[in-house]
Amino acid sequence: MRRLSVHDLKPEDSLRLVFEGAFDPLAPRESELTPVLQALEEHADGWMPDVAEGKRRRKYTRTAIWKALDEERDDVYTSLGLYRTKWPALDMTLALWLPPRAPMLDISINAKPLSFFAEAERCLKFVEMVRAWASRYLVSHAVAHSNDDINLARFPDFGRDKETWFRDGFDKIYEVCWLNVFGPKLVETVGRERMLSAPAWRVEELPNGGVLLVTRPTVTDFASEEARLVQARVHCHLRPDLDFSTVLRTLRERSATLAPVEPRFHPELAPLLSRVVDDVASYERQRKIAELNAWQPPEPEEWRPADSALPSDVEDPERACAHYRYLAEHLVALLHTKVPSIFEATPESLTEADFYFWHEEFPTSRLRENIDTRAVPAIGAYLGQVLVRNLGGRWIPREKLEEAQVLVGHRVWFPFVRARHYMRSRQALLDHSLTWLYRVAERHRS
C-alpha cells in the first residue's frame, strides 16, 4: 500500500495543526482515545486518513491504530502516523507521552494543499473537530494556520533561544493564528473577560475553562488585508502592550513575502533554477524566485582563444585522455544512484548534477580534503567529456590537471579549473555551474 506524502506534491502551502492536551494515562487506552478518532471520522471532510502506520503500514481501522500504538511504544512514548493514499495529502501524527513524564496527547496535522480548505463549510467541520478534542482534553496550547505563514512567524519558539523557549513555553500570546485554543492558565493570564470579548469571528468558552478563538470563517485567505486587520486587532486586544501599527506592519510584510512572483529566469538556466526553487521550503519560494529573477550568471572565465592554447606536454596523449575518462567514471560512480542520467553524459546530465550538488549542499557538507582531491578532478573530467562527446571537443592533455584543455571551435576550455571554482561554495554551484559553461561553449562553438 503506497501512501501519498505531502512531499510528493508540488511545493505549496498546507494547513498545519498543532494540538497538545492532557489525558488520563490510567484509563483504558481505547476509551481514552476513542473521542479523538470519533471526532476525526465525523469531521474530516474529504481528507480522512485511510492508512495507519506504526512499524507496519495498514489500512485505517481502529484495530490497526491500537496495533500501531503497541508496536511503537517504549517506556515514555508511543505514536503512529495517519496518511492518505490519494489527494489531498495528509501527514498526521498521534502521539502519547507517558509517565514518568507529564502525560500529554500530542496531535499534529499537515494537510496539503491549503487551497483544499477554501470552502467555509469544510473549515467549519475542521473547527468542530478541534473543538471536540479541546472540550475532551485539557489543552495547554493548540493552533491551526497556514504552514507557510506560521513558519515565517518562527513558530513555535517565535525567535526565542531554546533555553527561554523550553523554560517559558507559551506563557503569553506570541501570535494569533486562524484557529487558536488557549488553555485555562493562559486565559487567566490574559483575563477571561478580555479573552471572551476578542474581536474575532468565533470566540467560545469551553467546558474545561479553555477558550476557542477563530479569526475568520476560512483559513485560505489568511494573507488578505481584511484577514491581517482582524489578526492584528485580535492580537493587540489580547496583548494591550503591543503596538497595533507594528503588529500590522509585520503581518503585511509576511503577506508580501508570500505573494506570488512570476519566474523570469535566465532562459538557458531556467531548468536548473526551477529545480532550485522547488527545493526550498514553500514559505521561502517566492523570495527565492525574486532573487533568482534578479540574478545573472557571471560569464565563464575558464577559457582562452584557441590560438593561445597551451600545447600538450605529455608523452602519451591517448593515455592521458584515458585517464580523464577514468576520472569521469568516478563521478558516474558517485552520482549514478541519485542521478541516473549521469550515465548519458549529456547537457541535461550536467543540469542534473548541478542540482544534486546544490540539494546536497555539497561544498559545505563534505570534507574539504575529499572535495579537492576526489570530487574536483572527477567533476572536471566529466565536464570535459561532455564537451568532447556533445560539442565535438578535443582534449589537449597537460601534466597538470588544471592546465588540461578541451578545444571547442575557436576557444579552449579549462574544465578542471571550472570544477575548482564550482566547488568553492553553494552559491558558486550556480555562479559557476557546469550547465552554464556548457551553454556558453555551445554558443561559441562555430
Side-chain angles (χ1 to χ4, degrees):
M1 184 191 309
R2 184 183 182 279
R3 60 176 173 86
L4 180 66
S5 167
V6 294
H7 303 293
D8 293 333
L9 303 186
K10 66 179 182 179
E12 60 180 309
D13 204 355
S14 57
L15 177 61
R16 180 178 177 186
L17 167 84
V18 176
F19 182 99
E20 297 176 355
F23 77 101
D24 182 0
L26 300 179
R29 183 189 57 190
E30 285 80 356
S31 62
E32 189 68 4
L33 292 183
T34 291
V36 174
L37 305 179
Q38 188 172 328
L40 174 67
E41 293 160 5
E42 183 177 347
H43 297 295
D45 179 16
W47 56 274
M48 179 66 195
D50 54 12
V51 175
E53 185 170 323
K55 292 189 183 302
R56 290 180 52 199
R57 190 174 296 173
R58 302 177 176 90
K59 183 178 179 181
Y60 177 98
T61 63
R62 298 277 181 95
T63 301
I65 287 170
W66 310 139
K67 285 182 178 178
L69 289 172
D70 285 338
E71 289 171 351
E72 294 292 342
R73 178 165 182 161
D74 60 24
D75 292 339
V76 296
Y77 181 79
T78 185
S79 68
L80 80 152
L82 298 172
Y83 308 96
R84 288 175 54 78
T85 55
K86 55 190 175 184
W87 189 92
L90 175 69
D91 186 343
M92 180 174 177
T93 302
L94 192 160
L96 298 174
W97 292 96
L98 307 168
R101 292 193 53 156
M104 184 174 73
L105 168 65
D106 188 344
I107 303 172
S108 68
I109 290 176
N110 192 6
K112 187 175 182 179
L114 179 69
S115 57
F116 181 74
F117 295 88
E119 297 176 8
E121 183 62 27
R122 181 166 284 147
C123 288
L124 178 59
K125 289 183 177 181
F126 190 94
V127 170
E128 291 302 324
M129 177 189 71
V130 177
R131 180 191 177 280
W133 290 348
S135 298
R136 174 62 176 77
Y137 307 96
L138 186 61
V139 169
S140 55
H141 188 260
V143 297
H145 196 64
S146 150
N147 192 40
D148 283 356
D149 196 48
I150 209 170
N151 273 301
L152 290 179
R154 301 174 71 179
F155 177 88
D157 59 80
F158 302 106
R160 296 171 291 171
D161 60 72
K162 277 191 175 181
E163 182 181 350
T164 304
W165 171 33
F166 290 152
R167 184 191 67 225
D168 297 340
F170 297 101
D171 59 326
K172 62 179 73 171
I173 299 175
Y174 293 93
E175 183 75 21
V176 169
C177 295
W178 167 66
L179 181 155
N180 312 262
V181 180
F182 303 114
K185 183 177 178 181
L186 196 51
V187 171
E188 296 307 323
T189 298
V190 171
R192 189 167 295 274
E193 184 177 344
R194 176 175 290 276
M195 180 77 76
L196 294 174
S197 62
W201 172 70
R202 178 171 174 177
V203 183
E204 180 181 348
E205 189 169 16
L206 301 174
N208 52 26
V211 170
L212 169 71
L213 185 151
V214 185
T215 56
R216 287 170 56 77
T218 54
V219 63
T220 48
D221 56 353
F222 72 93
S224 68
E225 179 65 11
E226 183 180 355
R228 291 307 199 189
L229 284 168
V230 172
Q231 193 176 1
R233 287 173 186 145
V234 172
H235 199 182
C236 292
H237 176 85
L238 300 177
R239 287 277 306 274
D241 57 307
L242 298 178
D243 176 67
F244 175 79
S245 60
T246 302
V247 172
L248 183 59
R249 182 171 63 250
T250 299
L251 295 175
R252 284 171 170 165
E253 287 171 355
R254 290 192 344 223
S255 293
T257 298
L258 296 172
V261 177
E262 186 68 27
R264 296 187 303 276
F265 302 145
H266 189 289
E268 291 178 296
L269 291 176
L272 171 60
L273 300 183
S274 296
R275 295 198 63 183
V276 167
V277 165
D278 287 346
D279 196 45
V280 303
S282 58
Y283 65 91
E284 297 175 332
R285 179 179 174 84
Q286 307 308 322
R287 189 159 43 195
K288 195 67 178 179
I289 291 173
E291 175 192 324
L292 294 177
N293 280 345
W295 173 81
Q296 291 294 311
E299 280 296 310
E301 299 175 347
E302 302 87 355
W303 66 277
R304 285 186 178 190
D307 57 12
S308 299
L310 300 174
S312 178
D313 62 352
V314 300
E315 292 184 4
D316 187 343
E318 180 49 42
R319 182 178 180 182
C321 290
H323 180 60
Y324 300 150
R325 291 192 292 271
Y326 172 74
L327 290 176
E329 285 299 318
H330 285 191
L331 190 68
V332 174
L334 174 66
L335 301 190
H336 74 277
T337 301
K338 298 291 182 66
V339 187
S341 69
I342 202 74
F343 287 109
E344 299 166 13
T346 63
E348 293 72 25
S349 306
L350 295 178
T351 300
E352 293 286 332
D354 283 334
F355 175 70
Y356 169 82
F357 288 125
W358 166 272
H359 175 76
E360 293 289 315
E361 302 186 37
F362 204 90
T364 55
S365 64
R366 269 56 169 189
L367 290 174
R368 176 48 56 180
E369 180 184 358
N370 290 343
I371 289 174
D372 292 340
T373 60
R374 299 179 186 177
V376 166
I379 293 166
Y382 186 84
L383 174 59
Q385 285 300 109
V386 174
L387 295 174
V388 169
R389 178 177 296 191
N390 295 275
L391 298 181
R394 176 173 62 82
W395 280 105
I396 303 177
R398 297 281 295 180
E399 285 288 344
K400 294 182 179 178
L401 279 183
E402 289 207 348
E403 294 179 357
Q405 304 142 94
V406 176
L407 174 65
V408 178
H410 301 297
R411 289 186 174 190
V412 290
W413 297 90
F414 293 82
F416 294 101
V417 176
R418 183 66 169 192
R420 177 166 55 81
H421 293 163
Y422 178 67
M423 277 286 143
R424 283 175 178 166
S425 67
R426 199 182 194 202
Q427 182 58 41
L429 295 173
L430 298 184
D431 291 341
H432 303 283
S433 72
L434 310 180
T435 301
W436 180 229
L437 183 137
Y438 178 90
R439 293 305 177 192
V440 176
E442 182 181 43
R443 194 187 313 145
H444 291 278
R445 172 171 45 174
S446 56

